[in-house]
Amino acid sequence: MCVKELLRDIEDCRTRMIQLAASGSFTDHMVVDTSNKLDELLNKYYTLTAKK
């Protein structure tokens, strides 16, 4: 996965998490799952960019 695609996925995931949280609870399982996915994507981004 290239950095450009990863950044797009991060923004998409962040937007989805915000939308889910706005329409429900921050502790809703969908919000938590999306937050965990966002964490994974951010960790991948950090790993890819730290090597350069």
Side-chain angles (χ1 to χ4, degrees):
M1 176 177 280
C2 75
V3 173
K4 196 174 198 178
E5 291 174 354
L6 192 52
L7 285 171
R8 186 186 67 236
D9 290 347
I10 288 169
E11 286 305 316
D12 291 346
C13 191
R14 181 179 289 135
T15 300
R16 175 149 174 76
M17 184 183 69
I18 291 168
Q19 290 171 342
L20 288 168
S23 66
S25 165
F26 286 108
T27 58
D28 181 85
H29 78 279
M30 292 295 291
V31 176
V32 174
D33 288 347
T34 305
S35 177
N36 288 335
K37 176 65 176 174
L38 179 58
D39 288 343
E40 291 174 16
L41 291 169
L42 290 168
N43 287 335
K44 280 184 185 180
Y45 175 79
Y46 176 75
T47 301
L48 283 175
T49 58
K51 291 180 180 179
K52 292 183 179 180

